[in-house]
Amino acid sequence: MIVAIDGPAGAGKSTISRLIAGRHDWTYLDTGAMYRAVTLLALEQGIAPADGEELGLLARNAEIGFQPGPDGSPQVFAGCRDVTEEIRGRDVSACVSEVSAHRSVREALVEKQRSIAAAGDVVMDGRDIGTVVCPGADVKIFLTAANRERARRRRLELAQKGVEVSQEQMERDIAARDDYDSRRELAPLKAAAGAVIIDTTNMTIEQVVDRVSGIVEKQLK
Ligand code: DC
């Protein structure tokens, strides 16, 4: 079973994907974390976000992996280094859209994503899972929510880590990233044909999980 969950930043994709994967004991793959890890390494190595050639080499050679942490949430590794926290920083968030728009980077990471999907029973979240990475996915969901609400959720997430960002700033950051991700030439953010679109603005996490689970269960029968 392959479940593809796409949508803009802060729509709840990773929370919902993790819970759905946990319910069935399936693999959860956060593809955004892979683009973020490449972006972090590029920033550290002084590779410009516009340098598609170097970024492609970096993405191809990067050993990005996932392991469950002490509380069961996935930790992200670049080689043997835990980069889970660092990839969520503002520097990475500010550059990841530009880095992920390069064909060289996408080709390298999509290949890795498809080989994980080939093992089966996986919930993958991203921007292009239902459209490009796994167009044959058994279930395709497009999660969205009002920009204001998505910014509120991201602020809460960051506040829990001690990072304060104003609501206005967060709305601007999210809108800029969505705009870039939606307008890029390759694999732009959009709902796949046949995807169920769920607007989570006024829904609790439990309600969204129930809705998605219902769709998955139907497919399993
Ligand atoms: O899901 P996220 O916010 O962590 O993703 C970070 C960025 O990575 C996102 O702004 C665009 C890029 N991305 C992508 O291009 N394709 C994916 N499948 C997942 C993420």
Side-chain angles (χ1 to χ4, degrees):
M1 167 72 67
I2 296 180
V3 180
I5 303 197
D6 289 306
K13 301 183 299 292
S14 58
T15 305
I16 303 305
S17 302
R18 200 181 315 154
L19 289 168
I20 297 289
R23 244 184 212 200
H24 298 275
D25 210 12
W26 294 339
T27 302
Y28 162 50
L29 182 62
D30 175 356
T31 63
M34 300 173 77
Y35 289 97
R36 285 175 178 274
V38 169
T39 304
L40 174 70
L41 296 176
L43 291 174
E44 288 175 346
Q45 293 175 25
I47 302 173
D51 190 344
E53 201 173 322
E54 282 297 318
L55 289 168
L57 278 174
L58 178 67
R60 207 156 275 290
N61 294 324
E63 287 174 11
I64 302 165
F66 297 86
Q67 268 175 37
D71 65 349
S73 64
Q75 291 183 316
V76 188
F77 286 81
C80 41
R81 180 176 146 214
D82 183 348
V83 295
T84 314
E85 293 299 323
E86 280 165 282
I87 61 167
R88 306 284 158 201
R90 280 194 77 200
D91 290 353
V92 170
S93 296
C95 296
V96 65
S97 283
E98 187 175 355
V99 168
S100 61
H102 292 288
R103 181 183 298 277
S104 54
V105 174
R106 302 205 72 80
E107 280 177 357
L109 295 191
V110 167
E111 193 180 313
K112 293 182 204 270
Q113 292 156 13
R114 285 189 179 141
S115 74
I116 294 168
D121 289 343
V122 62
V123 182
M124 299 170 83
D125 86 49
R127 304 292 187 287
D128 61 341
I129 309 302
T131 51
V132 174
V133 181
C134 299
D138 304 281
V139 171
K140 295 183 191 179
I141 307 282
F142 190 83
L143 280 192
T144 186
N147 180 307
R148 205 181 158 66
E149 173 62 13
R150 293 190 283 117
R152 192 188 69 81
R153 293 176 190 170
R154 271 285 147 97
R155 277 183 68 219
L156 276 181
E157 238 174 70
L158 287 176
Q160 279 164 4
K161 294 177 190 159
V163 181
E164 297 293 335
V165 184
S166 72
Q167 175 73 17
E168 292 69 31
Q169 182 63 53
M170 189 51 86
E171 284 183 24
R172 273 200 299 275
D173 288 358
I174 279 194
R177 197 140 64 85
D178 289 345
D179 188 55
Y180 203 115
D181 294 344
S182 312
R183 292 215 247 171
R184 69 182 178 213
E185 198 187 326
L186 292 169
L189 163 67
K190 64 171 181 198
V196 178
I197 299 174
I198 304 176
D199 183 336
T200 70
T201 308
N202 297 309
M203 293 172 84
T204 63
I205 291 173
E206 291 70 29
Q207 286 172 328
V208 182
V209 170
D210 283 349
R211 179 84 207 284
V212 174
S213 275
I215 298 166
V216 170
E217 299 292 341
K218 219 159 138 191
Q219 194 64 28
L220 280 171
K221 277 183 195 152

